[in-house]
Amino acid sequence: MSAAMPSQGGVIRPYGDTTGDGMVQVSFTLPLPHDRLAEGAALQLARKMGLDPALLVHAKPMGPDFTFFVVYGSSTHLVTLDDVHVVEREYPLLSAKDANLAIRRQLRRKLVVVGACIGTDAHTVGIDAILNIKGFAGEKGLEYYREIKVVNLGAQVLVPDLVARARAEKADAVLVSQVVTQKDAHLHNTTQMSAAFREAYPAGQVPILVVGGPRFEEGSERTLGVDRIFGRGATPGEVASYLVHEMTERKARR
């Protein structure tokens, strides 16, 4: 969607060429070979999505039976900001130095973090961005923190193997990345993972369970059985700060 411009009353429309014109761009694939019928179907779908007028700006065959479309048009829908609810970060962002000091003060040992991509997911970009010392977005990964021990298991790790390694390492936290999301694989894998950890550990001793990926919905931690979800763009500093926060909270509850 194009960038939105603020307006009075907490109601906004997308911004394309001029303020308030409502212009948006959407892309989708239809299970039709590329012909005039397919293009007409794409425009019909766009109009039903609230784009009026809708302009077909790109159409490309995806094999013999599918077509990819890009449609541009003016949205008839408005956004009411008063009805927008987001999950706010409830903990402060810490520097690497402050995170190390907090871990040393509270644990008097290194914080052990085990990370992996589970199931058939072979995309390690997300987990590596958080764990590897090179990091992401100008921030060094958790391997840079001298008070954190990182065990990166890589890709396509089976859930029983992840649980076994976490127990062997006496992990304080387990970080799981899920990029492959076809047929909600990320949700099924996460619920399977969280259930396995709760079965393997006594009550109250399950490691901090953190999942990340572009398709997770904020606020669905309880449904998935995890402690925290990080979406697209999360940085190592955010994750480290959360781990310190959750570690502190758990210690206070004991």
Side-chain angles (χ1 to χ4, degrees):
M1 180 177 287
S2 304
M5 296 294 289
S7 69
Q8 294 181 348
V11 176
I12 60 172
R13 293 190 72 193
Y15 173 92
D17 301 313
T18 59
T19 301
D21 61 9
M23 299 303 289
V24 300
Q25 181 171 289
V26 296
S27 61
F28 51 84
T29 300
L30 292 181
L32 293 170
H34 183 209
D35 55 18
R36 294 298 297 275
L37 176 64
E39 292 184 356
L43 289 173
Q44 182 188 112
L45 176 61
R47 286 191 289 269
K48 289 184 176 182
M49 294 170 66
L51 301 188
D52 187 20
L55 304 173
L56 181 62
V57 298
H58 179 73
K60 181 178 180 180
M62 304 290 287
D65 301 317
F66 297 86
T67 307
F68 174 77
F69 297 97
V70 177
V71 179
Y72 187 65
S74 180
S75 173
T76 59
H77 302 299
L78 302 175
V79 175
T80 304
L81 295 180
D82 291 340
D83 296 334
V84 176
H85 304 286
V86 298
V87 179
E88 298 287 355
R89 177 169 45 81
E90 73 280 16
Y91 56 90
L93 287 178
L94 303 175
S95 66
K97 178 181 178 181
D98 289 338
N100 284 325
L101 287 173
I103 295 169
R104 187 189 314 148
R105 185 183 310 117
Q106 297 194 46
L107 290 184
R108 300 184 185 279
R109 60 170 174 80
K110 290 189 176 184
L111 179 76
V112 181
V113 175
V114 174
C117 298
I118 59 176
T120 58
D121 199 331
H123 298 75
T124 63
V125 174
I127 196 71
D128 288 343
I130 301 301
L131 299 183
N132 286 1
I133 192 170
K134 63 183 179 182
F136 170 72
E139 295 185 10
K140 293 187 181 297
L142 301 190
E143 290 179 346
Y144 172 75
Y145 292 67
R146 64 175 180 272
E147 297 299 330
I148 296 180
K149 176 186 176 183
V150 173
V151 180
N152 189 346
L153 302 182
Q156 297 183 322
V157 178
L158 298 178
V159 168
D161 295 338
L162 176 62
V163 174
R165 188 62 181 272
R167 289 176 62 88
E169 297 287 347
K170 298 181 179 180
D172 299 290
V174 174
L175 274 56
V176 167
S177 174
Q178 289 283 264
V179 176
V180 175
T181 59
Q182 288 91 339
K183 298 182 179 179
D184 289 334
H186 61 306
L187 303 181
H188 299 311
N189 289 341
T190 300
T191 53
Q192 179 191 13
M193 181 268 295
S194 63
F197 271 95
R198 279 164 175 74
E199 182 178 345
Y201 282 80
Q205 297 183 31
V206 178
I208 301 169
L209 299 181
V210 177
V211 295
R215 290 282 298 277
F216 284 106
E217 181 180 357
E218 286 186 334
S220 61
E221 286 88 351
R222 181 172 296 184
T223 301
L224 297 177
V226 299
D227 297 296
R228 192 73 179 191
I229 292 172
F230 285 98
R232 177 176 51 85
T235 64
E238 290 181 90
V239 176
S241 298
Y242 168 71
L243 294 179
V244 171
H245 167 78
E246 182 63 18
M247 176 189 67
T248 304
E249 291 291 308
R250 289 191 176 196
K251 187 174 181 181
R253 292 196 295 265
R254 289 172 182 167

